[in-house]
Amino acid sequence: MTQVVSTTPGLFPLPDWAKDELSDLKGHQKTDLISGDESAEVADAYDRARREVLDVQTDAGLDRVVEGQLRWDDMIAHPLAVADSVDTRGIVRYYDNNNFYREPVVTGDLEATGDVAAELDAAAEHVDSGLQAVLPGPYSLADLATDEHYGDEAAFLDAVAEFLADEARQFPDVETLFLLEPSLVENAPGDGADERASEAIDRVANAVDADVVAHTYWGAIEEKVYAHLMDADVDAIGFDLIADHEQTVYNVQEYGTKESVALGLVDGQNTLVETPETIRERIDWFADQTAGDYDTVYATANTELFYLPVNKFEAKLSALADAAELEEVQA
């Protein structure tokens, strides 16, 4: 019998009132906001917005609750963007869409800031159980950054992995950690680099006492990259069934997968709200196609959710939570 756990990969849209208030406080649009050194008024606005999105998740009935990452104006590049020895320079397109982030340029030795841990500490004060952490995966974070210090791709990836691991070691108790790794799909590592990417994920995963999901999206993983990812010491690999379900199923049929899986079942970039029944049918279909007797299926959105209007975002959370409550999957 498979347990279905409803969750998300985080990075939520700001509540509408918070967008207006923060724009007034900072004097320009959210895409240009400078994260990190915030005034008391800005910090208070983010605190109130965090409590609101925590309540939204709890009221929806999600099994895992994330902090929301509302301060991550640079998307998953955020942990580097607020770090010392990192310059944030020109605006860069975020993968192949109409969102942008400031390019983090590493100019010195990386050291953890405690920024993400502090967000989780704040969330933990309002969540009784089921807290889930979110971090960029080390390969994706290194891919989004520019190295002007380490001078070697392997050394840079190693440094980014250690930076994230040190950050994760400061976390409060969490039940799950989602490592977001879209670059494994969007800019797949070549020979040698694919093995190093797996080892880097290992380092971060081993820094926490929690179930770890390496969540990939915006397509299916190339076969060789997937085979190496299977070597990573994670509890589950996340698959984007919205963007490419056929190649994903082939990879699992050919190479197997972990005892648990995370499935991107609702579209994080489309306002059409999936029904709980549709979500559950997609879980059943994947289990049938892969003959999987999974311990846990993490039912989630395929991508981050900041692309969505707030009302559609909230509706998709409720659909995921309701899907997990439907009749249990028979593997």
Side-chain angles (χ1 to χ4, degrees):
M1 192 71 71
T2 298
Q3 178 188 22
V4 177
V5 172
S6 55
T7 187
T8 71
L11 282 95
F12 292 165
L14 270 168
D16 291 334
W17 66 264
K19 291 178 186 176
D20 296 338
E21 185 169 330
L22 286 163
S23 291
D24 290 342
L25 286 168
K26 294 189 175 184
H28 39 65
Q29 295 299 312
K30 181 177 185 297
T31 51
D32 297 326
L33 299 182
I34 303 300
S35 303
D37 187 15
E38 297 156 347
S39 69
E41 293 83 3
V42 169
D44 176 69
Y46 278 124
D47 284 342
R48 285 182 280 123
R50 178 189 297 113
R51 290 195 295 270
E52 182 171 320
V53 298
L54 290 169
D55 288 343
V56 165
Q57 294 172 85
T58 302
D59 292 345
L62 287 175
D63 297 307
R64 297 287 185 273
V65 175
V66 302
E67 184 270 341
Q69 297 74 48
L70 302 175
R71 293 174 54 250
W72 292 26
D73 301 317
D74 299 293
M75 279 70 82
I76 64 173
H78 170 85
L80 275 184
V82 297
D84 294 334
S85 302
V86 176
D87 292 338
T88 48
R89 298 182 186 170
I91 300 298
V92 182
R93 186 180 294 274
Y94 184 61
Y95 295 101
D96 188 21
N97 60 43
N98 290 322
N99 289 273
F100 299 86
Y101 68 103
R102 295 171 300 147
E103 179 187 21
V105 181
V106 177
T107 59
D109 288 347
L110 289 173
E111 295 183 2
T113 64
D115 182 86
V116 180
E119 291 178 335
L120 286 167
D121 286 335
E125 295 179 3
H126 300 280
V127 176
D128 293 330
S129 62
L131 184 61
Q132 173 177 299
V134 174
L135 279 176
Y139 178 75
S140 294
L141 187 56
D143 179 48
L144 294 175
T146 297
D147 171 36
E148 290 187 356
H149 175 67
Y150 292 95
D152 174 84
E153 286 187 6
F156 184 52
L157 178 59
D158 187 66
V160 170
E162 188 58 28
F163 166 79
L164 290 171
D166 283 344
E167 183 71 36
R169 292 185 186 105
Q170 301 180 50
F171 288 177
D173 290 339
V174 296
E175 292 196 32
T176 315
L177 167 62
F178 261 50
L179 296 176
L180 306 186
E181 283 284 17
S183 286
L184 288 177
V185 173
E186 285 286 315
N187 187 21
D191 289 345
D194 46 12
E195 185 175 0
R196 291 194 296 272
S198 174
E199 293 169 351
I201 291 169
D202 270 351
R203 180 174 296 189
V204 183
N206 289 327
V208 295
D209 183 17
D211 292 332
V212 179
V213 178
H215 187 50
T216 64
Y217 47 101
W218 287 323
I221 317 170
E222 292 182 4
E223 287 184 56
K224 192 169 182 292
V225 176
Y226 181 72
H228 280 292
L229 184 57
M230 276 293 294
D231 293 332
D233 188 16
V234 297
D235 298 278
I237 295 172
F239 303 108
D240 182 347
L241 296 191
I242 302 297
D244 191 338
H245 57 277
E246 292 183 359
Q247 181 63 38
T248 292
V249 163
Y250 171 81
N251 286 343
V252 176
Q253 291 171 338
E254 189 72 13
Y255 300 101
T257 194
K258 303 292 184 176
E259 293 182 357
S260 297
V261 294
L263 302 179
L265 302 160
V266 304
D267 195 332
Q269 300 179 90
N270 190 307
T271 56
L272 178 65
V273 178
E274 298 83 354
T275 67
E277 291 76 16
T278 294
I279 295 168
R280 203 62 188 238
E281 287 170 3
R282 291 172 178 174
I283 296 173
D284 291 339
W285 176 86
F286 181 86
D288 289 342
Q289 293 295 311
T290 60
D293 185 12
Y294 301 112
D295 290 342
T296 301
V297 170
Y298 294 94
T300 185
N302 63 330
T303 69
E304 310 105 329
L305 291 161
F306 60 81
Y307 308 98
L308 296 171
V310 171
N311 64 330
K312 299 297 185 178
F313 150 74
E314 293 180 354
K316 287 184 183 252
L317 297 191
S318 295
L320 283 166
D322 290 345
E325 296 300 317
L326 295 178
E327 183 179 353
E328 292 187 347
V329 170
Q330 300 287 338

